Amino acid sequence: MSNTAQLILDGKTYELPVIEGTEHERAIDISKLRSLTGGVTTIDPGYKNTGATKSAITFLDGEKGILRYRGYSIGYSIEELAERSTFLEVAYLLIYGELPNEEQFSSWKSEITMHTMVHEEIKNILDGFPSNAHPMGVLSSLVSALTAFYPKSLDPNRSIKQVDLSIARIIAKMPTIAAWAFKNEIGHPVNYPDNTLDYCENFIKMMFATPAETYSVDPVVSDALNKLLILHADHEQNCSTSTVRIVGSSQASLYSSISAGISALWGPLHGGANQAVIEMLEGIKSSGGDTKKYLDKAKDKNDPFRLMGFGHRVYKNFDPRATIIKKAADGVLAKLGVNDPVLDIARGLEEAALKDEYFVSRKLYPNVDFYSGIIYRAMGIPTEMFTVMFTLGRLPGWIAQWKEMRENNEPIGRPRQVYTGHNSRPYMELGER
Ligand code: MLT
């Protein structure tokens, strides 16, 4: 296979290098294109054909349904991370490149546990938000506000030790801030972290415990949460991750880059997808619960109805994360004995679509958003918190990608454009316009 590509432009031939990744994916290197051609650029709205970086963190093959973190598979055998490890181990793997040994893991866990509390004044900022504030807005603001409490974190070049401290702090504090954003919304007092619990249990307790009752965490729920967070931990150069990398490329701090990532994830086309699934199911329920009618509507090109949570932007055959999460969803629903007509509709829709030739032939299978929405609802997590749950999961991926970008000394992100506006024109006085 050739390691150069030829571009013929205006009768002139340019040789462009072709680079190959460790999984043999190939890319034409156009980094010298403008200087070679005297200013010609490429255009690729949404960057669907553009590799923005070389990365050694996550490998994804959408055609084959493969997702691997640092070489470890998500979705095939019982060797997979989601079945065998904890979210904190996976976070370490993504950020530092290897699964931790016992000693590394124990010091990583105690580092995280030590930083679970947030500064008391964060509560004053939280109190300033109206109670109907969307928790994603609260989360992104409070993460950005961390820069005020840890000013040394502002300089990403300060020292490796300082960067590691900022990393441990944000992983430790995110569940506290997320649970507090929820408590603000429902008007309950916030719960402080309980460091006798593990990462997932602690978050669940901060979410659901009230001063009025004793609370114990259901292991089925914390186990399902552990899996969900692992499955969402990274997904190579998706919208929020690319945002984190591009914000960080200006040498903005870790916390401000993550805050920008949270805003990117908030959008319904990205992290808001599992919320859209539940809203669709509620819509089906309130109009009588006829799933067949909605499957027919989904098939009708002239009908604006869209079946949410089926198919995927990058997985063209199946979503490897969905296989694991479907199993967890079955377990959670069975063990919690949840009786919820909306979840019955989800089951009916899933079964009918998986048997329907239209959906099967188009590979429109339920994706991770479909099942994660179901599990979160069964756990009692309100719909507007779903994207917050996604944030908790994606955090180590954002950190790993930010850190890799910094360590590789990547230049500031600065895309080009093809200008389509007016050519030069003279200024007109106000009265002449
Ligand atoms: C993700 O996990 O980030 C989403 O599936 C979206 C994506 O990868 O584009």
Side-chain angles (χ1 to χ4, degrees), residues 99-115:
L99 281 168
N101 61 27
E102 273 179 33
E103 197 189 321
Q104 287 164 329
F105 189 50
S106 123
S107 80
W108 169 242
K109 256 201 322 203
S110 49
E111 183 77 4
I112 304 287
T113 311
M114 191 192 300
H115 291 291

Side-chain angles (χ1 to χ4, degrees), residues 235 238 270 312-314 321 390 394:
H235 214 232
N238 60 83
H270 190 4
H312 193 273
R313 191 174 301 126
V314 288
R321 302 169 297 179
F390 196 159
R394 188 52 52 90

Side-chain angles (χ1 to χ4, degrees), residues 339-354:
N339 188 6
D340 179 345
V342 165
L343 298 182
D344 294 340
I345 290 174
R347 283 272 173 263
L349 207 55
E350 178 202 13
E351 270 166 35
L354 289 175

